[in-house]
Amino acid sequence: MKKILIAITLILMSFSSLHAMNMGMQKHALKHANPMPNLMRIAIKNADILGIDAKQMTALRAWSDTNKPKMMKMVKKVMHEEAMLLENALTTDNDPVKEAEVMLETRKKIIEMKANCLANLKTILTKEQYQNVVNIYRSVR
């Protein structure tokens, strides 16, 4: 009975480790596919410190709720395209530069979306709040 309990415990621990590793990989993937700062997340998580009011928070969440799924879809696309590029480089004679065009175009769209996000953030927050978001970002980076 002890052996069964130990085995079950080990299996459950391995699943929780895999989940934690997957979450870490998602953060790494986002940073890898997107060199732009994620100031929206900083603003939302630090709303109390920044003095963000309810109207501002509604606007921040609206932008985030609309655009975050699109961003994550593009990040996954970049990661998929990179994996395909690697595999094709090892198994085919296809032109890797031509194959990389889809991935590079998606990266460009990610950067454009992040630039739009920063511009939107500047319209929602006061100059002081925005500067404080940048300061928080730099301090935790």
Side-chain angles (χ1 to χ4, degrees), residues 6 68 71 87 92 124 127 131 141:
I6 290 172
K68 186 176 181 179
M71 178 65 70
E87 184 59 32
T92 70
I124 296 170
K127 287 183 181 186
Q131 187 56 52
R141 202 176 105 201

Side-chain angles (χ1 to χ4, degrees), residues 1-16:
M1 184 68 174
K2 277 186 177 179
K3 289 181 182 180
I4 293 173
L5 288 175
I6 290 172
I8 290 172
T9 303
L10 289 174
I11 290 170
L12 290 174
M13 288 174 62
S14 68
F15 283 132
S16 65

Side-chain angles (χ1 to χ4, degrees), residues 1-96:
M1 184 68 174
K2 277 186 177 179
K3 289 181 182 180
I4 293 173
L5 288 175
I6 290 172
I8 290 172
T9 303
L10 289 174
I11 290 170
L12 290 174
M13 288 174 62
S14 68
F15 283 132
S16 65
S17 296
L18 286 174
H19 177 70
M21 187 171 75
N22 187 31
M23 294 302 288
M25 288 175 66
Q26 284 180 351
K27 286 183 181 179
H28 173 71
L30 183 58
K31 286 182 181 181
H32 172 78
N34 171 23
M36 300 287 286
N38 189 351
L39 299 184
M40 185 68 71
R41 180 174 43 101
I42 297 287
I44 291 171
K45 285 187 175 185
N46 295 283
D48 291 339
I49 296 170
L50 297 166
I52 292 175
D53 63 32
K55 184 179 176 183
Q56 289 173 310
M57 183 56 79
T58 300
L60 293 175
R61 289 208 185 277
W63 176 272
S64 182
D65 291 346
T66 301
N67 292 288
K68 186 176 181 179
K70 296 175 191 175
M71 178 65 70
M72 294 312 297
K73 186 176 178 181
M74 287 190 291
V75 167
K76 287 178 183 178
K77 184 176 181 180
V78 166
M79 300 305 287
H80 175 73
E81 292 294 327
E82 285 182 342
M84 283 182 28
L85 186 62
L86 173 65
E87 184 59 32
N88 288 344
L90 298 172
T91 59
T92 70
D93 290 331
N94 295 346
D95 180 10

